[in-house]
Amino acid sequence: MPTQHGARGRARREEIVRAAIEVIAERGYRGASLAAVAEKVGLTQQGLLHYFPSKEDLLIGVLRFREQTDSGGRDTVAEPMTMADTEAVVEANANRIAIVRTFSALLGESVTEDHPAAEYFRDRYRLVRERLAATLRLEWGDRLPSGLTPEEAAPLVIAIMDGLQYQWLHEPETFDMPAAFRSFLRLLDPKAAS
Amino acid sequence: MPTQHGARGRARREEIVRAAIEVIAERGYRGASLAAVAEKVGLTQQGLLHYFPSKEDLLIGVLRFREQTDSGGRDTVAEPMTMADTEAVVEANANRIAIVRTFSALLGESVTEDHPAAEYFRDRYRLVRERLAATLRLEWGDRLPSGLTPEEAAPLVIAIMDGLQYQWLHEPETFDMPAAFRSFLRLLDPKAAS
DNA sequence: CGGAACCTACCGATCGGTCGGTAAACGAGG
DNA sequence: CCTCGTTTACCGACCGATCGGTAGGTTCCG
């Protein structure tokens, strides 16, 4: 078992994961070769395999890395306690195009058969929907201003965030993702200042 | 130039395109091998290359096929003249999981570098946004009931459709995509019966 | 000494694509 | 109707590249 002790090894692993995120953003998971990731951190492919014994292990590393550190990643929606926070997340994502691209590409791939990230996204969706519904209920009670229940609104918030990212990624300089998201928030609560 | 005349050849090409759509749904575009597509229609990989001289040409064929025939595909949003039609599109998509999966997978891949479908999706988004805005304006004038302009609302409708598909594809039996979309329509127009 | 951190040398599989053929269908001319 | 050249519809053999992964080291640090 590599990388167990030693801050040295842990740092190297993180370096590798960051490189993997970049490569996946450029080529997707299937298109990302271990060799390309290895080269980015100055390793051979086999050197990389010392830290992550298989490509799938590396992907798991990427997914885990996001869950831990990534306090600005797309779905940190899992955490925020107010709707204003979700807006901040979108804003932050607009400045993290590489990470957004990585996870948008992964999300797309994950709908194909036996994709190693499929389970991750399914569980993630469930979790985020739950927490988001709780957040909405905390903010507005059992009925939003629009008349929707929190359970009805939560999937819509997620869908908007995901969907806007694709439009934005295809026209990063033209498409104003945060503004579009704010429009949606106005839809949820017409009285909101924002 | 193959397939120019002859209904025979044209039919074969369509057969191939349909097979390609299936394979892409299972493996994505990068993961889809010409051999796998060829096998589905009882051809060798070289036989397939007779009809589509390269893998990219096959993808173009898939994209074109959708634009023509696919009157129920995800984005036929380009056509409908009323909002009720968009609801019908979503409903139809809920019964076309293979095609939805294909284009969701392609959309995801298309955000990676130099993807052959990137231009297609970008142009498609522009077009659909325009037409949808026109539809919205026709239905409600310059301000929707929620106060949004048609140009503000159009990207949101698209984002919802795209985003809901990913959640649905990850839980096809549990997640009620049409119901979620109707919730969104209620957000757009609280007075709607639906 | 022992384990972590690598690397060289390979391997079998798969990929998209080329080359060069063959066989059948087809249209035109006699 | 029958030839005959052309096009269409394929297939077998092959190729160079790349892929993820294994086996078996060596170096170096604690």
Side-chain angles (χ1 to χ4, degrees):
Chain A
M1 272 152 229
T3 274
Q4 207 136 21
H5 9 288
R8 177 85 189 179
R10 230 175 293 118
R12 203 87 166 103
R13 273 175 75 97
E14 189 176 316
E15 220 184 320
I16 293 171
V17 165
R18 281 186 206 277
I21 288 176
E22 284 179 39
V23 174
I24 293 174
E26 289 164 10
R27 309 284 219 185
Y29 171 66
R30 277 200 170 93
S33 74
L34 296 177
V37 177
E39 196 195 4
K40 281 219 179 198
V41 293
L43 275 185
T44 338
Q45 184 217 135
Q46 296 79 350
L48 197 167
L49 285 171
H50 169 69
Y51 291 93
F52 298 92
S54 79
K55 190 181 181 180
E56 198 170 324
D57 287 322
L58 177 55
L59 177 60
I60 291 170
V62 168
L63 266 19
R64 277 232 267 267
F65 175 80
R66 188 241 201 127
E67 277 190 357
Q68 294 170 7
T69 86
D70 160 72
S71 254
R74 180 169 53 88
D75 277 347
T76 308
V77 169
E79 309 251 338
M81 303 312 288
T82 77
M83 274 298 126
D85 288 338
T86 68
E87 193 190 325
V89 169
V90 173
E91 211 104 36
N93 284 344
N95 294 317
R96 293 178 155 230
I97 192 164
I99 286 200
V100 172
R101 201 186 307 206
T102 298
F103 283 91
S104 294
L106 280 178
L107 176 58
E109 280 186 54
S110 71
V111 308
T112 62
E113 269 176 18
D114 301 319
H115 195 282
E119 190 192 343
Y120 169 82
F121 279 110
R122 195 195 26 159
D123 294 349
R124 183 99 189 149
Y125 271 140
R126 286 183 187 163
L127 178 72
V128 176
R129 252 180 266 142
E130 255 179 51
R131 299 217 186 161
L132 206 44
T135 299
L136 288 162
R137 174 163 280 113
L138 212 120
E139 197 138 339
W140 280 303
D142 288 344
R143 291 281 167 178
L144 309 210
S146 52
L148 294 190
T149 67
E151 282 72 23
E152 288 170 332
L156 299 182
V157 177
I158 301 171
I160 282 284
M161 294 182 77
D162 288 346
L164 288 181
Q165 281 175 359
Y166 287 107
Q167 291 182 60
W168 174 60
L169 286 171
H170 279 289
E171 276 182 302
E173 280 137 40
T174 312
F175 190 83
D176 190 340
M177 178 168 69
F181 187 71
R182 281 192 297 271
S183 292
F184 174 74
L185 288 184
R186 244 157 56 218
L187 223 51
L188 274 187
D189 181 6
K191 284 151 205 152
S194 169
Chain B
M1 269 154 230
T3 275
Q4 206 134 21
H5 4 290
R8 177 86 190 183
R10 231 175 293 119
R12 203 88 167 102
R13 273 175 74 98
E14 190 176 314
E15 221 183 317
I16 293 171
V17 165
R18 281 186 207 277
I21 287 176
E22 284 179 39
V23 175
I24 294 174
E26 290 165 10
R27 310 283 221 185
Y29 170 67
R30 277 199 171 94
S33 74
L34 296 178
V37 177
E39 197 195 2
K40 282 221 179 197
V41 293
L43 276 182
T44 12
Q45 185 215 135
Q46 299 84 341
L48 199 167
L49 285 171
H50 169 68
Y51 291 94
F52 297 92
S54 81
K55 190 180 182 181
E56 197 170 326
D57 287 321
L58 177 55
L59 177 60
I60 291 170
V62 168
L63 265 20
R64 278 232 268 265
F65 175 80
R66 186 238 201 133
E67 278 191 357
Q68 294 171 7
T69 87
D70 160 72
S71 255
R74 181 169 54 90
D75 276 349
T76 307
V77 170
E79 309 249 339
M81 302 312 289
T82 77
M83 275 298 122
D85 288 338
T86 67
E87 194 191 325
V89 169
V90 172
E91 210 104 35
N93 284 345
N95 293 317
R96 292 178 155 230
I97 192 165
I99 287 199
V100 172
R101 200 186 307 204
T102 298
F103 284 91
S104 294
L106 280 178
L107 175 58
E109 280 186 54
S110 72
V111 308
T112 61
E113 268 175 19
D114 301 321
H115 194 281
E119 191 192 343
Y120 169 82
F121 279 110
R122 194 193 27 149
D123 294 349
R124 183 102 190 146
Y125 271 140
R126 287 183 186 164
L127 178 72
V128 176
R129 252 180 266 144
E130 257 179 49
R131 298 217 186 158
L132 207 45
T135 299
L136 288 163
R137 175 163 279 114
L138 212 120
E139 198 139 337
W140 280 304
D142 289 343
R143 289 284 167 178
L144 308 212
S146 52
L148 295 190
T149 66
E151 282 71 24
E152 287 169 334
L156 299 182
V157 177
I158 301 172
I160 281 284
M161 294 183 76
D162 288 347
L164 288 181
Q165 282 175 357
Y166 287 107
Q167 291 180 62
W168 174 60
L169 286 172
H170 278 291
E171 276 182 301
E173 280 137 41
T174 313
F175 190 83
D176 191 341
M177 177 169 68
F181 187 69
R182 282 192 297 271
S183 292
F184 174 73
L185 288 184
R186 243 157 57 218
L187 222 51
L188 274 187
D189 181 7
K191 284 152 205 153
S194 170

